[in-house]
mmCIF file of all heavy atoms in Angstrom:
data_model
loop_
_atom_site.group_PDB
_atom_site.id
_atom_site.type_symbol
_atom_site.label_atom_id
_atom_site.label_comp_id
_atom_site.label_asym_id
_atom_site.label_seq_id
_atom_site.Cartn_x
_atom_site.Cartn_y
_atom_site.Cartn_z
ATOM 1 N N LEU P 235 66.842 -46.149 11.844
ATOM 2 C CA LEU P 235 66.060 -47.185 11.155
ATOM 3 C C LEU P 235 65.730 -46.784 9.716
ATOM 4 O O LEU P 235 65.850 -47.567 8.788
ATOM 5 C CB LEU P 235 64.770 -47.473 11.932
ATOM 6 C CG LEU P 235 64.918 -48.219 13.241
ATOM 7 C CD1 LEU P 235 63.535 -48.509 13.830
ATOM 8 C CD2 LEU P 235 65.671 -49.516 13.043
ATOM 9 N N SER P 263 51.113 -42.937 6.832
ATOM 10 C CA SER P 263 51.333 -41.750 5.986
ATOM 11 C C SER P 263 50.984 -40.478 6.730
ATOM 12 O O SER P 263 50.080 -40.472 7.579
ATOM 13 C CB SER P 263 50.496 -41.853 4.715
ATOM 14 O OG SER P 263 50.794 -43.036 4.030
ATOM 15 N N PRO P 333 56.802 -11.098 20.315
ATOM 16 C CA PRO P 333 56.197 -10.173 19.344
ATOM 17 C C PRO P 333 55.307 -10.847 18.311
ATOM 18 O O PRO P 333 54.795 -10.206 17.440
ATOM 19 C CB PRO P 333 57.429 -9.573 18.659
ATOM 20 C CG PRO P 333 58.470 -10.625 18.768
ATOM 21 C CD PRO P 333 58.193 -11.373 20.013
ATOM 22 N N PRO P 363 60.760 -27.737 5.746
ATOM 23 C CA PRO P 363 62.118 -28.054 6.205
ATOM 24 C C PRO P 363 62.150 -29.393 6.932
ATOM 25 O O PRO P 363 63.204 -30.021 7.003
ATOM 26 C CB PRO P 363 62.452 -26.886 7.161
ATOM 27 C CG PRO P 363 61.160 -26.331 7.547
ATOM 28 C CD PRO P 363 60.170 -26.590 6.465
ATOM 29 N N ILE P 375 71.401 -35.046 1.442
ATOM 30 C CA ILE P 375 70.813 -33.797 1.903
ATOM 31 C C ILE P 375 70.966 -32.628 0.925
ATOM 32 O O ILE P 375 70.144 -31.723 0.903
ATOM 33 C CB ILE P 375 71.363 -33.423 3.296
ATOM 34 C CG1 ILE P 375 70.465 -32.408 3.985
ATOM 35 C CG2 ILE P 375 72.793 -32.937 3.230
ATOM 36 C CD1 ILE P 375 70.508 -32.468 5.484
ATOM 37 N N LEU P 393 63.038 -15.263 17.210
ATOM 38 C CA LEU P 393 61.859 -15.536 18.014
ATOM 39 C C LEU P 393 62.038 -16.805 18.808
ATOM 40 O O LEU P 393 62.380 -17.853 18.235
ATOM 41 C CB LEU P 393 60.649 -15.662 17.049
ATOM 42 C CG LEU P 393 59.263 -15.776 17.639
ATOM 43 C CD1 LEU P 393 58.899 -14.529 18.427
ATOM 44 C CD2 LEU P 393 58.249 -15.985 16.528
ATOM 45 N N CYS P 402 55.206 -23.462 12.267
ATOM 46 C CA CYS P 402 55.075 -24.785 11.606
ATOM 47 C C CYS P 402 53.628 -25.240 11.477
ATOM 48 O O CYS P 402 52.939 -25.483 12.485
ATOM 49 C CB CYS P 402 55.873 -25.838 12.381
ATOM 50 S SG CYS P 402 55.735 -27.471 11.649
ATOM 51 N N SER P 409 48.298 -30.072 16.503
ATOM 52 C CA SER P 409 47.637 -29.419 17.640
ATOM 53 C C SER P 409 46.136 -29.678 17.576
ATOM 54 O O SER P 409 45.491 -29.959 18.587
ATOM 55 C CB SER P 409 47.863 -27.913 17.607
ATOM 56 O OG SER P 409 49.205 -27.616 17.824
ATOM 57 N N CYS P 457 50.093 -28.643 23.526
ATOM 58 C CA CYS P 457 51.055 -29.377 24.359
ATOM 59 C C CYS P 457 51.688 -30.469 23.520
ATOM 60 O O CYS P 457 50.979 -31.234 22.851
ATOM 61 C CB CYS P 457 50.354 -29.982 25.573
ATOM 62 S SG CYS P 457 51.391 -31.113 26.493
ATOM 63 N N SER P 475 48.681 -38.847 32.276
ATOM 64 C CA SER P 475 47.483 -39.557 32.634
ATOM 65 C C SER P 475 46.653 -39.786 31.376
ATOM 66 O O SER P 475 46.943 -39.210 30.333
ATOM 67 C CB SER P 475 46.658 -38.737 33.635
ATOM 68 O OG SER P 475 46.021 -37.669 32.964
#
Side-chain angles (χ1 to χ4, degrees):
Chain P
L235 287 185
S263 303
I375 198 153
L393 188 62
C402 179
S409 294
C457 170
S475 75

